[in-house]
Each structure stands twice: as C-alpha cells, then as structure tokens.
Amino acid sequence: FEALGTTAGIDGIDAAINYNGTEAVLNGNNSFFYIPDNDIFSPNDGVNDTPISIEFTINFNVGLVWPIDDGIWFVNKRDDTTFESEYQINWLDGVLGWTIFGDRGGVGDPVVGIRVEIATDLDPGLDLTIKCTYDGGLLASGLHIFFNDILMDTTIVNYQVYVGSDNTPSTVHVSKRGWNQSGFLEGTMKNLKFYDYAKES
C-alpha cells in the first residue's frame, strides 16, 4: 500500500499540503494527513503480533531552525481522543525512535512497549529514506531502523513488560502527533509505504 500520491481511500488530507507526484509538501505549522484505521496498518491481527514495516523519504527545508520544541511525529497510530496506541516513528531532542506499544491502561500509567532509538542529526536539504521494521516477535531486538537501506546501530529502551500490541481503532497520523496539534514536519515526505513483513532490504 502506498499512501502518498493518491487521495483514494484517504480522508483528512489537510488543505495546507501540496502534492508533486508521490511527494507531499508540508509546512511545519499545520499541514498533515491521516489514514483511517485498517488492519493492514496494525502490528497485530487481533490475537497475535504480526510483522510490519513502514518506509518513507523525507527532506527537511533548508533553513529549518533547530531544535523543534515538539519534535517531529513522522508516522504514528495513536488515537486523538482515547489512550489507544500502536506505534510511532518520531524525532525528538536529537533522537529518532521506533516504538511498538502494548496496553498502557490509561493516562498516567507507565509506558508499555518495545522501542529502539538512535541519536542523530537530520540534515536539511538532503533526501533521507527511513525504514522501520518489526518482526512480530515481541522483543525489542526485532525492531530495526534503516537509513537509506543501511541498518543502523540502535539502543534498546526498556519499558514495562511487553506481551503484545493491541489492534485498536486508532488513526494513522502522518506529520502530526495523534493526540494534539503539534509535531509537524517542515519539508517533504514521499513514497510512504507499509509492508506486512519485516522488509530488511
């Protein structure tokens, strides 16, 4: 499934986005889009965890002022009205993280999930393809981050005991936090793709 380049089946495309083929131009202030819930975007089939990979190419605007207070929420399946969360790919305080969430219970409860992260600068003006994969095996060692198809060395973050993700009705948000109006990308994103396997190459 390729999400950019077509509006077929995609609701919630903000008017502040411009399109150039499979590329979305995002202004960093209020432009985002979301994809309605569908099992093909979940790392869980309703019973067990299943593999998933998310891939996209970004290019930050030259002249972008760092740091960005709220970070950048590239892709996340987190609900904006409840506390149901499945995953997120985000950059915050110089760290890019890839997280699969378990059942947290509610606001204020400890985070449950598996996560890997890498401290990195994201250079403006250059295309960077980010690919995040999960093998469905319930371990953080099954999470990988690739930059331009190169496997990166990541650090595992220990959360509460993880026994699997929930298949929730949460929306897939792109260039926005799922739960509030922040975390926007300033630049371009193209070739956003989801795979139902751990795409290692």
Side-chain angles (χ1 to χ4, degrees), residues 164-187:
S165 180
D166 287 336
N167 188 317
T168 76
S170 299
T171 296
V172 179
H173 291 84
V174 181
S175 177
K176 184 183 92 64
R177 287 183 175 181
W179 62 99
N180 65 22
Q181 298 292 319
S182 66
F184 303 109
L185 168 64
E186 182 180 337

Side-chain angles (χ1 to χ4, degrees), residues 16-20 23-27 31 61 185 187-189:
I17 295 179
N18 296 312
Y19 284 94
N20 178 18
E23 181 177 81
V25 181
L26 302 141
N27 65 21
S31 58
N61 287 348
L185 168 64
T188 63
M189 179 185 284

